[in-house]
């Protein structure tokens, strides 16, 4: 995804290629262990949803917290992608219309572009039935 584009800068900030690769390997092992634990827990509890596992193992409060964290995470991801779309539309409008139109016109400002893209593209897709 988009995070892959940040790898060169992250490796540089971590101390170089060797340190960066070691950190990626450690994170991959931790993710693998987490998935293994989730899979075993699903098999033991016979549940397929993360929040169901939280309810069975830790109670109703944990179920509500797990659902809340998933909602916040999903909303944050959506906002992040809207920001990326706005950045890209801003660059496209700059290339299409030129510097004079881009600087003087409110129609091509980033906030307006994000709002228009949300209503023209994303909102109709939300209305489609499964």
């Amino acid at each position: 995804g988009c995070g892959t584009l940040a790898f060169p800068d992250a490796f540089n900030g971590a101390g170089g290629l060797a340190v960066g690769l070691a950190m990626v390997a450690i994170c991959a092992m931790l993710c693998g262990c987490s998935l293994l634990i989730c899979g075993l827990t699903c098999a033991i509890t016979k549940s397929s949803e993360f929040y169901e596992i939280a309810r069975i193992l830790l109670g109703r409060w944990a179920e509500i917290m797990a659902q809340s964290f998933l909602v916040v995470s999903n909303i944050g991801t959506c906002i992040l992608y809207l920001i990326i779309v706005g950045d890209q539309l801003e660059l496209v409008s700059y290339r299409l219309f030129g510097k004079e139109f881009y600087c003087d016109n409110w129609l091509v400002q980033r906030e307006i572009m994000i709002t228009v893209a949300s209503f023209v593209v994303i909102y109709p897709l939300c209305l489609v039935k499964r």
Side-chain angles (χ1 to χ4, degrees):
C2 295
T4 307
L5 298 174
F7 271 130
D9 186 51
F11 277 26
N12 187 31
L17 183 62
V19 176
L21 286 174
M23 291 177 76
V24 168
I26 291 169
C27 288
M29 286 187 286
L30 289 173
C31 287
C33 290
S34 297
L35 288 173
L36 180 64
I37 291 169
C38 285
L40 291 172
T41 308
C42 285
I44 291 169
T45 60
K46 295 180 179 35
S47 337
S48 61
E49 302 287 337
F50 185 71
Y51 59 88
E52 287 178 14
I53 294 169
R55 180 177 37 85
I56 291 169
L57 296 178
L58 302 171
R60 178 83 174 129
W61 177 250
E63 177 186 20
I64 293 170
M65 291 301 292
Q67 286 177 335
S68 301
F69 289 145
L70 288 172
V71 167
V72 170
S73 174
N74 288 338
I75 289 172
T77 302
C78 291
I79 291 170
L80 174 70
Y81 278 109
L82 282 175
I83 291 170
I84 292 170
V85 166
D87 289 344
Q88 297 307 310
L89 286 175
E90 190 175 30
L91 290 173
V92 168
S93 67
Y94 180 77
R95 299 276 190 244
L96 283 177
F97 302 118
K99 185 176 183 178
E100 295 79 23
F101 183 80
Y102 175 77
C103 291
D104 295 333
N105 200 329
W106 63 272
L107 286 173
V108 292
Q109 290 180 356
R110 187 168 171 258
E111 295 82 8
I112 302 298
M113 297 287 240
I114 291 173
T115 305
V116 169
S118 297
F119 281 110
V120 172
V121 178
I122 297 170
Y123 181 67
L125 290 173
C126 292
L127 297 177
V128 175
K129 301 240 184 214
R130 293 184 186 190

Coordinates of all heavy atoms in Angstrom, one line a residue, residues 17-53:
L17 N 20.4 0.2 5.8 CA 19.7 -0.9 5.2 C 19.6 -2.1 6.2 O 18.6 -2.8 6.3 CB 20.3 -1.3 3.9 CG 19.7 -2.4 3.1 CD1 18.3 -2.0 2.7 CD2 20.5 -2.8 1.9
A18 N 20.7 -2.5 6.8 CA 20.8 -3.7 7.7 C 19.9 -3.5 8.9 O 19.1 -4.5 9.2 CB 22.2 -3.9 8.2
V19 N 19.9 -2.4 9.5 CA 19.0 -2.2 10.7 C 17.5 -2.2 10.2 O 16.7 -2.7 10.9 CB 19.4 -0.8 11.4 CG1 18.4 -0.6 12.5 CG2 20.8 -0.9 11.9
G20 N 17.3 -1.5 9.1 CA 15.9 -1.5 8.6 C 15.4 -2.9 8.2 O 14.2 -3.2 8.6
L21 N 16.2 -3.7 7.6 CA 15.8 -5.0 7.3 C 15.6 -5.9 8.5 O 14.6 -6.7 8.6 CB 16.8 -5.7 6.3 CG 16.8 -5.2 4.9 CD1 17.9 -5.8 4.1 CD2 15.5 -5.5 4.2
A22 N 16.4 -5.7 9.5 CA 16.3 -6.4 10.8 C 15.0 -6.0 11.5 O 14.2 -6.9 12.0 CB 17.4 -6.2 11.7
M23 N 14.6 -4.7 11.5 CA 13.4 -4.3 12.1 C 12.2 -4.8 11.3 O 11.2 -5.2 11.9 CB 13.4 -2.8 12.1 CG 14.4 -2.2 13.1 SD 14.4 -0.4 13.2 CE 13.0 -0.1 14.1
V24 N 12.2 -4.9 10.0 CA 11.1 -5.4 9.2 C 11.0 -6.9 9.5 O 9.9 -7.4 9.7 CB 11.4 -5.2 7.7 CG1 10.4 -6.0 6.8 CG2 11.2 -3.7 7.4
A25 N 12.1 -7.6 9.6 CA 12.0 -9.0 9.9 C 11.4 -9.3 11.3 O 10.6 -10.2 11.5 CB 13.4 -9.7 9.9
I26 N 11.8 -8.5 12.3 CA 11.2 -8.6 13.6 C 9.7 -8.3 13.6 O 8.9 -9.0 14.2 CB 12.0 -7.7 14.6 CG1 13.4 -8.2 14.9 CG2 11.2 -7.5 16.0 CD1 14.3 -7.2 15.6
C27 N 9.3 -7.2 12.9 CA 7.9 -6.9 12.8 C 7.1 -8.0 12.1 O 6.0 -8.3 12.5 CB 7.7 -5.6 12.1 SG 8.2 -4.1 13.1
A28 N 7.7 -8.6 11.1 CA 7.0 -9.7 10.4 C 6.8 -10.9 11.3 O 5.8 -11.5 11.3 CB 7.9 -10.1 9.1
M29 N 7.9 -11.2 12.1 CA 7.7 -12.3 13.0 C 6.6 -12.0 14.1 O 5.8 -12.9 14.4 CB 9.0 -12.6 13.7 CG 10.0 -13.3 12.8 SD 11.5 -13.9 13.6 CE 12.4 -12.3 13.9
L30 N 6.6 -10.8 14.6 CA 5.6 -10.4 15.6 C 4.2 -10.5 15.0 O 3.2 -11.0 15.6 CB 5.9 -9.0 16.1 CG 7.0 -8.9 17.1 CD1 7.3 -7.4 17.4 CD2 6.8 -9.7 18.3
C31 N 4.0 -10.0 13.7 CA 2.7 -10.1 13.0 C 2.3 -11.6 12.8 O 1.2 -11.9 13.0 CB 2.8 -9.4 11.7 SG 2.8 -7.6 11.8
G32 N 3.3 -12.4 12.4 CA 3.0 -13.8 12.3 C 2.6 -14.5 13.6 O 1.6 -15.3 13.6
C33 N 3.3 -14.2 14.7 CA 2.9 -14.7 16.0 C 1.5 -14.2 16.4 O 0.7 -15.0 16.9 CB 3.9 -14.3 17.0 SG 5.5 -15.1 16.9
S34 N 1.2 -12.9 16.1 CA -0.1 -12.4 16.4 C -1.2 -13.1 15.6 O -2.3 -13.4 16.2 CB -0.2 -10.9 16.1 OG 0.7 -10.2 16.9
L35 N -1.0 -13.3 14.4 CA -2.0 -14.1 13.5 C -2.1 -15.5 14.0 O -3.3 -16.0 14.0 CB -1.6 -14.0 12.1 CG -1.7 -12.7 11.4 CD1 -1.1 -12.8 10.0 CD2 -3.2 -12.3 11.3
L36 N -1.1 -16.1 14.4 CA -1.2 -17.5 15.0 C -2.0 -17.5 16.3 O -2.9 -18.4 16.4 CB 0.2 -18.0 15.3 CG 0.3 -19.4 15.8 CD1 -0.2 -20.4 14.8 CD2 1.7 -19.8 16.2
I37 N -1.8 -16.6 17.1 CA -2.5 -16.5 18.4 C -4.0 -16.2 18.1 O -4.9 -16.8 18.6 CB -2.0 -15.4 19.3 CG1 -0.6 -15.8 19.8 CG2 -2.9 -15.1 20.5 CD1 0.2 -14.7 20.6
C38 N -4.3 -15.3 17.1 CA -5.7 -15.0 16.7 C -6.3 -16.3 16.1 O -7.5 -16.6 16.5 CB -5.7 -13.9 15.7 SG -5.5 -12.3 16.4
G39 N -5.6 -17.0 15.3 CA -6.2 -18.2 14.7 C -6.5 -19.3 15.8 O -7.5 -19.9 15.7
L40 N -5.5 -19.5 16.7 CA -5.8 -20.5 17.8 C -6.9 -20.0 18.7 O -7.7 -20.9 19.1 CB -4.5 -20.6 18.6 CG -3.3 -21.3 17.9 CD1 -2.1 -21.2 18.8 CD2 -3.6 -22.7 17.6
T41 N -7.0 -18.8 18.9 CA -8.1 -18.3 19.8 C -9.4 -18.4 19.0 O -10.4 -18.8 19.7 CB -7.9 -16.8 20.1 OG1 -6.6 -16.6 20.7 CG2 -8.9 -16.3 21.1
C42 N -9.5 -18.2 17.7 CA -10.7 -18.5 17.0 C -11.1 -19.9 17.0 O -12.3 -20.3 17.2 CB -10.5 -18.1 15.5 SG -10.5 -16.3 15.2
A43 N -10.1 -20.8 16.9 CA -10.4 -22.3 17.0 C -10.9 -22.7 18.4 O -11.9 -23.5 18.5 CB -9.2 -23.0 16.6
I44 N -10.3 -22.1 19.4 CA -10.7 -22.5 20.8 C -12.1 -21.9 21.1 O -13.0 -22.7 21.6 CB -9.7 -22.0 21.8 CG1 -8.4 -22.7 21.6 CG2 -10.2 -22.1 23.2 CD1 -7.3 -22.1 22.4
T45 N -12.4 -20.7 20.7 CA -13.7 -20.1 21.1 C -14.8 -20.3 20.0 O -15.9 -20.0 20.3 CB -13.5 -18.5 21.2 OG1 -13.0 -18.0 20.0 CG2 -12.6 -18.2 22.4
K46 N -14.4 -20.9 18.9 CA -15.3 -21.1 17.8 C -16.0 -19.8 17.3 O -17.2 -19.8 17.1 CB -16.3 -22.2 18.1 CG -15.7 -23.5 18.3 CD -16.7 -24.6 18.7 CE -16.1 -26.0 18.9 NZ -14.8 -26.1 19.5
S47 N -15.3 -18.7 17.3 CA -15.8 -17.4 16.8 C -15.0 -17.0 15.6 O -13.8 -17.4 15.4 CB -15.6 -16.4 17.8 OG -15.6 -16.8 19.1
S48 N -15.6 -16.2 14.8 CA -14.9 -15.7 13.6 C -14.7 -14.2 13.6 O -14.1 -13.7 12.7 CB -15.7 -16.1 12.3 OG -17.0 -15.5 12.4
E49 N -15.2 -13.5 14.6 CA -15.1 -12.1 14.7 C -14.2 -11.7 15.9 O -14.3 -12.3 16.9 CB -16.4 -11.4 14.9 CG -17.4 -11.7 13.8 CD -17.1 -11.0 12.5 OE1 -16.5 -9.9 12.6 OE2 -17.6 -11.5 11.4
F50 N -13.4 -10.7 15.6 CA -12.4 -10.2 16.7 C -13.2 -9.8 17.9 O -12.8 -10.1 19.0 CB -11.5 -9.1 16.1 CG -10.4 -8.7 17.0 CD1 -9.4 -9.6 17.3 CD2 -10.5 -7.5 17.7 CE1 -8.4 -9.2 18.2 CE2 -9.5 -7.1 18.6 CZ -8.4 -8.0 18.8
Y51 N -14.2 -9.0 17.7 CA -14.9 -8.5 18.9 C -15.7 -9.6 19.6 O -15.9 -9.5 20.9 CB -15.9 -7.4 18.5 CG -17.0 -7.7 17.5 CD1 -18.2 -8.2 17.9 CD2 -16.7 -7.5 16.2 CE1 -19.1 -8.6 17.0 CE2 -17.7 -7.8 15.2 CZ -18.9 -8.3 15.7 OH -19.9 -8.7 14.7
E52 N -16.1 -10.7 19.0 CA -16.7 -11.8 19.6 C -15.7 -12.5 20.5 O -16.0 -12.9 21.7 CB -17.2 -12.9 18.6 CG -18.5 -12.4 17.9 CD -18.9 -13.5 16.9 OE1 -18.4 -14.6 16.9 OE2 -19.7 -13.2 16.1
I53 N -14.5 -12.6 20.1 CA -13.4 -13.2 20.9 C -13.1 -12.4 22.1 O -13.0 -12.9 23.2 CB -12.1 -13.4 20.0 CG1 -12.3 -14.4 18.9 CG2 -10.9 -13.8 20.9 CD1 -11.2 -14.4 17.9

